[in-house]
Amino acid sequence: MQFSNFSVFINSISNVSLRVLDASIPNEKYVTIDLSETNDILNKVDMSSSSKLEVFVNDHIKKHEAQIAYGGYLELRNIYKRSNHFNGQAAEERNIHLGIDLWCDAERPIYAPLEGVVHSFKNNTNYGDYGPTIILKHHIKGVAFYTLYGHLSLTSIKNLKVGQPFKKGDKIAALGDASVNGDYSPHLHFQIIKDLQGYKGDYPGVCSKLDLEFYKDNCPDPNLLLKLGV
């Protein structure tokens, strides 16, 4: 089956929410969080400190009587300024987030939202990077595509094998803490990718304004699968 628009295809996969966290957590226990450069409250937080960011996120979750904070697709963020991994010339600075983040506690299990196999995995150890990362390959309705899971625990990739199959709902990993996940408050970076462009165990999760149109097409909104807040 051919789709002229990849986002339309992703949205068509399921009429109900697909889960990368515990399926028993209802949508009502998810709350959106704004980590953009326009959030004046966040701009008063020392973003170079993962522990201070964690306090900010946890306070937000508690205030809203939620369990998970989520959001960030195409969000323009200041947090990446702390790392040379994302900085280039002004127009090439990578600061636009291409996935959805789900903020919760370290060691929380991560589940496959769809049937797939392990395409690749890697510990991306640059400061501010993903840390342990898994990429799954999926074939749905005759279309091949990928999902990326970043900021995992080291044990998540310890005994993994390329080609290893996972069914929908299988546990695939657990979240890492700041000591291994690129120095962030614990969270899952979840991203959908049409064309991996030869990458293995890694793919850009942040882009520059110059490249935004390409990545918007290649990495559609993950909430088209998760359907949180819908």
Side-chain angles (χ1 to χ4, degrees):
M1 185 179 297
Q2 295 297 318
F3 289 84
S4 59
N5 186 299
F6 187 52
S7 293
V8 171
F9 160 69
I10 292 297
N11 189 53
S12 76
I13 290 175
S14 176
N15 292 323
V16 299
S17 298
L18 298 179
R19 296 301 199 204
V20 291
L21 298 177
D22 185 347
S24 69
I25 302 173
N27 275 10
E28 293 75 21
K29 290 297 181 179
Y30 286 78
V31 61
T32 57
I33 189 168
D34 178 7
L35 299 181
S36 72
E37 66 174 12
T38 59
N39 185 339
D40 292 334
I41 297 174
L42 181 65
N43 288 335
K44 298 175 183 177
V45 177
D46 180 5
M47 297 291 278
S48 67
S49 168
S50 58
S51 60
K52 291 180 179 178
L53 176 59
E54 186 167 0
V55 169
F56 174 83
V57 171
N58 289 342
D59 284 351
H60 181 80
I61 292 172
K62 184 177 180 180
K63 175 183 177 182
H64 292 275
E65 298 181 345
Q67 295 184 34
I68 313 292
Y70 76 96
Y73 181 65
L74 301 188
E75 199 167 60
L76 187 63
R77 294 177 170 177
N78 281 330
I79 190 171
Y80 305 115
K81 293 182 183 298
R82 66 184 187 146
S83 172
N84 290 332
H85 182 58
F86 299 101
N87 294 327
Q89 300 296 323
E92 298 174 357
E93 180 182 353
R94 295 195 295 135
N95 55 11
I96 302 172
H97 190 248
L98 297 171
I100 195 169
D101 286 334
L102 298 111
W103 302 84
C104 46
D105 47 308
E107 297 302 325
R108 186 177 288 265
I110 306 301
Y111 302 94
L114 297 162
E115 181 177 347
V117 301
V118 175
H119 170 272
S120 51
F121 55 94
K122 181 183 175 184
N123 187 8
N124 297 286
T125 58
N126 290 305
Y127 177 60
D129 209 333
Y130 290 129
T133 307
I134 295 172
I135 297 176
L136 299 184
K137 184 174 185 178
H138 310 276
H139 283 90
I140 306 289
K141 300 178 182 180
V143 178
F145 64 99
Y146 307 86
T147 52
L148 181 149
Y149 309 79
H151 309 298
L152 306 175
S153 67
L154 284 172
T155 55
S156 297
I157 61 174
K158 186 175 181 181
N159 297 311
L160 210 56
K161 294 180 174 61
V162 171
Q164 183 174 336
F166 286 105
K167 295 179 181 178
K168 177 182 175 182
D170 283 353
K171 178 183 175 182
I172 60 173
L175 286 187
D177 60 23
S179 69
V180 299
N181 75 357
D183 193 41
Y184 292 99
S185 172
H187 70 288
L188 175 69
H189 174 98
F190 176 62
Q191 187 169 335
I192 300 170
I193 304 163
K194 178 169 62 173
D195 179 4
L196 265 181
Q197 301 178 280
Y199 281 87
K200 293 183 179 180
D202 188 18
Y203 190 81
V206 182
C207 76
S208 69
K209 291 179 182 178
L210 287 176
D211 297 326
L212 179 57
E213 290 307 310
F214 168 78
Y215 283 109
K216 281 171 64 176
D217 177 66
N218 202 46
C219 301
D221 187 351
N223 209 32
L224 294 171
L225 278 185
L226 302 183
K227 292 178 167 61
L228 298 169
V230 176

